[in-house]
């Protein structure tokens, strides 16, 4: 069975400072991992994905994430937060053992960016 | 433009009155699914479909029905809605046979059952 834990439900940062969103996963097989962002009253947009190629994955809007198998982690980072980064972020896992290649979501991390 | 379209975006209804939320995708994806989003719980899968006429339960299927008569459409049916089904609903689609492909999501339907 697969599962995802996002370690912080809320993160508050000042504009221009780094952002770190933590994600740990559990998977019985080689997983694919994704980060999605949800802005208020919007659908979910893909930020980046890990698919067993490079362990450091670069995404849109300056975000990147590093897959660490030994730590079962896939933390999301951005060097310098912008006001437009205020949103909710979801870490998602999919593995080949899940029925229908199911996506399993973490509980989400809401990011507040202070001016 | 590749997209998943849900309707309606907002819906307020009364307990017991049947309703349908429609979902359509234009990417020829085999796999479609419905999720509900509740605070602190992330998105939980309600039902999914791996192709036409093939549907299966997700993690929280009670009180919901789906159908997949055409590849592009995957409606969600609430036969007798109850207040605990008040939630934000998302439809998604992806290629089912490629584990590492991302899902595309609709804009969401905010349902309130009073």
């Amino acid at each position: 069975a697969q599962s995802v834990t996002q370690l912080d439900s809320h993160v508050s940062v000042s504009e221009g400072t780094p952002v770190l969103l933590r994600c740990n996963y559990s998977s019985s097989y080689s997983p694919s991992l994704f980060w999605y962002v949800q802005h208020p009253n919007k659908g979910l947009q893909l930020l980046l994905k890990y698919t067993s190629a490079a362990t450091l994955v670069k995404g849109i809007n300056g975000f990147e994430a590093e897959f660490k198998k030994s730590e079962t982690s896939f933390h999301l980072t951005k060097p310098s937060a912008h006001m437009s980064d205020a949103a909710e972020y979801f870490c998602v896992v999919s593995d080949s053992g899940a029925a229908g290649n199911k996506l399993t979501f973490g509980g989400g991390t809401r990011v507040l960016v202070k001016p | 433009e590749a997209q998943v379209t849900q309707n309606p975006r907002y819906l307020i209804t009364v307990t017991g009155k049947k309703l349908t939320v429609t979902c359509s995708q234009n990417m020829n994806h085999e796999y479609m699914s419905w999720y509900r989003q509740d605070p602190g719980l992330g998105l939980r899968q309600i039902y999914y479909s791996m192709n036409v006429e093939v549907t299966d339960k997700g993690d929280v299927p009670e009180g919901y029905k789906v159908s997949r008569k055409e590849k592009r459409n995957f409606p969600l049916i609430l036969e007798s809605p109850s207040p605990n089904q008040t939630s934000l609903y998302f439809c998604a689609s992806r290629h089912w046979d490629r584990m590492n492909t991302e899902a595309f999501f609709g804009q969401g339907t905010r349902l309130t059952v009073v």
Side-chain angles (χ1 to χ4, degrees), chain B residues 37-84:
Chain B
Q37 181 181 10
D38 302 290
L41 298 178
L43 277 73
R44 294 178 293 166
Q45 191 180 60
I46 303 170
Y47 267 94
Y48 65 95
S49 168
M50 289 197 282
N51 216 323
V52 175
E53 301 292 2
V54 180
T55 64
D56 208 345
K57 296 177 181 179
D59 297 318
V60 288
E62 294 77 20
Y64 304 94
K65 285 176 55 177
V66 293
S67 69
R68 188 89 181 272
K69 294 184 169 56
E70 305 165 282
K71 197 171 186 180
R72 63 183 292 123
N73 296 323
F74 190 47
L76 179 69
I77 303 156
L78 284 73
E79 294 268 358
S80 183
S82 62
N84 64 13

Side-chain angles (χ1 to χ4, degrees), chain A residues 32-48:
Chain A
S32 291
L33 291 153
F34 308 85
W35 276 98
Y36 282 85
V37 61
Q38 183 183 27
H39 288 96
N41 299 314
K42 299 286 187 184
L44 282 81
Q45 180 187 17
L46 180 72
L47 275 179
L48 50 79

Side-chain angles (χ1 to χ4, degrees), chain B residues 2-9 11 19-35 46-49 52 55 65-78 89-94 103-109:
Chain B
Q3 60 185 2
V4 178
T5 304
Q6 288 178 235
N7 281 296
R9 291 288 311 278
L11 180 59
L19 67 90
T20 299
V21 184
T22 63
C23 174
S24 180
Q25 52 96 3
N26 63 0
M27 294 166 280
N28 201 36
H29 286 162
E30 302 85 5
Y31 186 99
M32 297 185 74
S33 55
W34 277 102
Y35 297 84
I46 303 170
Y47 267 94
Y48 65 95
S49 168
V52 175
T55 64
K65 285 176 55 177
V66 293
S67 69
R68 188 89 181 272
K69 294 184 169 56
E70 305 165 282
K71 197 171 186 180
R72 63 183 292 123
N73 296 323
F74 190 47
L76 179 69
I77 303 156
L78 284 73
Y89 291 86
F90 286 99
C91 180
S93 72
R94 69 195 290 218
F104 292 80
F105 289 84
Q107 292 286 79
T109 296

Side-chain angles (χ1 to χ4, degrees), chain A residues 4-57:
Chain A
V4 180
T5 302
Q6 291 182 241
L7 298 166
D8 306 291
S9 60
H10 292 81
V11 167
S12 181
V13 299
S14 296
E15 191 175 20
T17 65
V19 182
L20 169 64
L21 306 184
R22 299 181 294 166
C23 171
N24 286 109
Y25 70 92
S26 171
S27 173
S28 302
Y29 301 85
S30 296
S32 291
L33 291 153
F34 308 85
W35 276 98
Y36 282 85
V37 61
Q38 183 183 27
H39 288 96
N41 299 314
K42 299 286 187 184
L44 282 81
Q45 180 187 17
L46 180 72
L47 275 179
L48 50 79
K49 64 180 180 181
Y50 166 77
T51 58
S52 75
T55 56
L56 183 62
V57 182

